[in-house]
Amino acid sequence: SQQGEEDPQALSIQEGENATMNCSYKTSINNLQWYRQNSGRGLVHLILIRSNEREKHSGRLRVTLDTSKKSSSLLITASRAADTASYFCATDASDSWGKLQFGAGTQVVVTP
Amino acid sequence: DAGVIQSPRHEVTEMGQEVTLRCKPISGHDYLFWYRQTMMRGLELLIYFNNNVPIDDSGMPEDRFSAKMPNASFSTLKIQPSEPRDSAVYFCASSSFLGQSIEKLFFGSGTQLSVL
């Protein structure tokens, strides 16, 4: 079963715009991670935020975590065509030791 | 480091045949994971190993699936006999633990399996 659910399922924006996607989950977590998957490739880790953190930045990425609402958001600023990919959140649940559960993903298309 | 290496990249087989997928994790990682990705079910965790020992195989769909990790640098996922519904992309990933939580996973490029 999927722990995280991303919203929206698909997102289409133009270069230079910001892209925001959300992830909701069901149980307590140790950390939440975001991954990117380009078409036909494996997943690549983007950023990890721990349950005691509220916000984290990495380059053009900004991740927030609200454990009271069991939700996270990923913001990509000043998007580029190369950001076109599927983005997945993954949760390391407190009661599922070692199991990183992935959501269904958000498909992002950035047009030049 | 070359990253997680999976082989073959593509596999086409006929129903009833045995399929073996291979994975070489990143050196020094003590956790290895097998995931399956389909459009309908997304990414599913099949099984994971810690120090070559299977820890949780509750995601393995049926007895037709088996996984082994004979040493720290090699793992296999076998399907016998294969069925068309096994068609998917199979990913291997490796990682390490830090404290009480799992750290980031490093994924291989996957094996695209088609069972005709």
Side-chain angles (χ1 to χ4, degrees):
Chain A
S1 62
Q2 293 176 348
Q3 158 81 310
E5 295 295 333
E6 285 93 341
D7 170 59
Q9 290 186 335
L11 184 60
S12 184
I13 57 174
Q14 291 192 320
E15 267 191 330
E17 294 180 338
N18 295 341
T20 300
M21 58 211 85
N22 304 295
C23 170
S24 59
Y25 57 92
K26 300 173 183 175
T27 63
S28 298
I29 59 171
N30 294 316
N31 68 55
L32 186 144
Q33 304 178 30
W34 286 91
Y35 288 78
R36 183 187 72 224
Q37 183 179 32
N38 291 92
S39 181
R41 307 294 294 271
L43 282 77
V44 175
H45 181 268
L46 295 176
I47 196 166
L48 179 154
I49 187 165
R50 303 190 190 283
S51 60
N52 61 353
E53 297 175 316
R54 292 296 168 260
E55 187 171 315
K56 207 161 184 180
H57 296 254
S58 177
R60 293 183 297 111
L61 305 179
R62 172 178 171 255
V63 169
T64 62
L65 179 65
D66 186 335
T67 53
S68 66
K69 295 182 179 178
K70 291 186 170 57
S71 68
S72 173
S73 68
L74 171 67
L75 167 68
I76 305 173
T77 60
S79 62
R80 306 166 182 169
D83 295 328
T84 294
S86 292
Y87 293 81
F88 296 86
C89 69
T91 51
D92 178 24
S94 303
D95 61 353
S96 300
W97 192 74
K99 288 185 172 183
L100 200 61
Q101 300 275 19
F102 286 81
T106 293
Q107 189 169 4
V108 176
V109 175
V110 182
T111 54
Chain B
D1 199 318
V4 176
I5 300 172
Q6 291 187 246
S7 64
R9 189 77 174 89
H10 301 276
E11 177 80 34
V12 180
T13 190
E14 292 188 346
M15 184 174 62
Q17 296 297 306
E18 178 179 296
V19 175
T20 299
L21 311 181
R22 297 172 176 80
C23 175
K24 176 179 169 56
I26 291 174
S27 177
H29 282 181
D30 49 3
Y31 283 84
L32 184 140
F33 303 80
W34 282 100
Y35 282 88
R36 178 173 68 176
Q37 186 178 37
T38 61
M39 288 294 292
M40 291 296 294
R41 300 175 68 88
L43 269 160
E44 302 173 277
L45 176 63
L46 301 178
I47 185 171
Y48 75 94
F49 296 81
N50 174 219
N51 291 324
N52 314 336
V53 176
I55 302 301
D56 190 323
D57 65 354
S58 59
M60 296 285 262
E62 298 172 32
D63 291 344
R64 298 183 297 105
F65 286 69
S66 63
K68 294 182 180 180
M69 192 165 185
N71 57 62
S73 59
F74 184 65
S75 177
T76 60
L77 178 67
K78 185 176 293 186
I79 308 172
Q80 166 64 18
S82 59
E83 297 183 2
R85 59 188 167 132
D86 301 332
S87 297
V89 181
Y90 290 81
F91 287 104
C92 174
S94 68
S95 183
S96 58
F97 253 59
L98 185 65
Q100 296 182 344
S101 65
I102 190 168
E103 295 301 291
K104 64 181 181 180
L105 267 59
F106 293 80
F107 280 80
S109 297
T111 295
Q112 174 79 59
L113 174 64
S114 297
V115 183
L116 307 177

